[in-house]
Every structure is written in C-alpha cells, then in structure tokens.
Amino acid sequence: MRPTIGMDTSAMVSLGHTDIVSDIVDNYQIVISRGVLFELKEIANRDDPDGRSAKKWLSFMDMFLIMESTAHDNAEDDMQEICLREDIVLFTDDVRWLKRYKGKVDCFFSVHILYLLYRKGLISLDEALISLSLMRNERDWRDNVIIISARTLFKHELEI
C-alpha cells in the first residue's frame, strides 16, 4: 500500500520540472483538492515551463485522490482542511502559506519528496540532485529556504 500524502499546486509545479513525477505517483497516493486541480489546469494553459510541469501532472490525474473541502477562497486552505481531516502530511512550496498554517498541519517542502525517494532507494543520488537543480533553476529559487532545506537534507550525501 502506498503512503498517502497531500500536495498543493506549488509543490506539484516544482516537482513537475523534474523527470521523477512517475516515481512519485507510483510510490505515493496523492491527495489534492478540486482547487488544486483547477489551479493545475489553469497553469497548464500557459506555454512556459510551469505550464509544461502542470501538464505532466495532469497526465496522471486518474491516479490522484481528489477530496472535497468546505468552500474556501484558495486551494491552500482546501488542502489544509483536507490534510487535517485525513491526518496526512502536506507538501507545499508556498513559504507564505507554510508560515500561516505552522503548527496546524504537518508540512514539508517538495525537496523532502526527493530525499524520501532517494533514501528509499527509488531514485539515485544523481537523480535527486539533478531534480533539485532543475527545480531550483526553473522556479528561480536562488538560495531561499527551500534550497537551504535541501542542503540540510542532502548534507551527509554531499560530504567528500
């Protein structure tokens, strides 16, 4: 049985810049809200790297578990409600959202999925680091808190 995780649009778009989306879908039951699905479809209409990322995820749409929530103004609130109700971890790259809901729901960044897949032996260290580089460059993260988290996660693997 695959572990169940919640993902918001920001984490999905970040991970969609990699070649490991099928690895994620094969190894995790992904829960999203209708709001996340709507946002992915909106982003997929664009002709840019984020649009291609969203299209990649939408090609696996039949494998997602789409859950309902009470009416909210945004997909982040939908996912917070769903993850609290279902007692599942949420992956997000929306730092503002993460601060807003700190302590209410267990949240991690998308780079943690790279690390989990690597530690479970499902992707190689090279695949994880290439994916991280793609995410960083396509999302224009520079040295934000997500990259700092990734450095912390992969610290021992990178020591020579």
Side-chain angles (χ1 to χ4, degrees):
M1 188 168 145
R2 298 175 299 163
T4 301
I5 60 172
M7 291 183 75
D8 78 356
T9 313
S10 63
M12 294 179 90
V13 169
S14 296
L15 289 161
H17 290 288
T18 72
D19 294 328
I20 64 165
V21 171
S22 62
D23 294 306
I24 297 167
V25 173
D26 288 345
N27 289 284
Y28 294 95
Q29 173 62 64
I30 298 170
V31 172
I32 63 171
S33 68
R34 293 210 181 277
V36 169
L37 181 59
F38 175 80
E39 288 179 351
L40 282 176
K41 288 179 178 179
E42 288 290 309
I43 294 168
N45 288 326
R46 300 185 341 215
D47 186 26
D48 64 9
D50 286 350
R52 289 186 289 281
S53 170
K55 287 178 186 118
K56 193 181 293 186
W57 280 105
L58 290 172
S59 71
F60 293 99
M61 190 171 65
D62 60 327
M63 296 184 71
F64 301 155
L65 183 55
I66 301 170
M67 292 193 167
E68 299 294 331
S69 67
T70 57
H72 290 114
D73 292 336
N74 58 63
E76 290 81 7
D77 286 343
D78 289 340
M79 288 308 303
Q80 185 256 351
E81 176 189 319
I82 291 166
C83 289
L84 276 172
R85 182 181 69 224
E86 301 297 321
D87 193 27
I88 57 176
V89 172
L90 176 63
F91 289 86
T92 182
D93 286 343
D94 189 329
V95 177
R96 291 171 303 182
W97 185 92
L98 190 66
K99 289 177 185 177
R100 182 175 170 195
Y101 292 107
K102 185 177 180 180
K104 296 181 182 179
V105 64
D106 291 333
C107 297
F108 295 95
F109 293 124
S110 61
V111 297
H112 287 86
I113 292 178
L114 297 177
Y115 189 71
L116 287 169
L117 291 172
Y118 161 69
R119 292 294 296 178
K120 290 181 175 185
L122 300 169
I123 63 172
S124 69
L125 179 59
D126 284 344
E127 288 173 302
L129 296 177
I130 289 168
S131 294
L132 178 60
S133 179
L134 288 167
M135 291 163 60
R136 179 181 186 216
N137 293 336
E138 293 292 328
R139 298 292 272 170
D140 197 24
W141 284 341
R142 294 184 181 87
D143 285 331
N144 73 359
V145 67
I146 300 171
I147 290 300
I148 293 167
S149 296
R151 286 187 189 129
T152 302
L153 289 169
F154 288 100
K155 178 181 177 186
H156 296 293
E157 283 77 6
L158 300 175
E159 290 179 354
I160 297 176

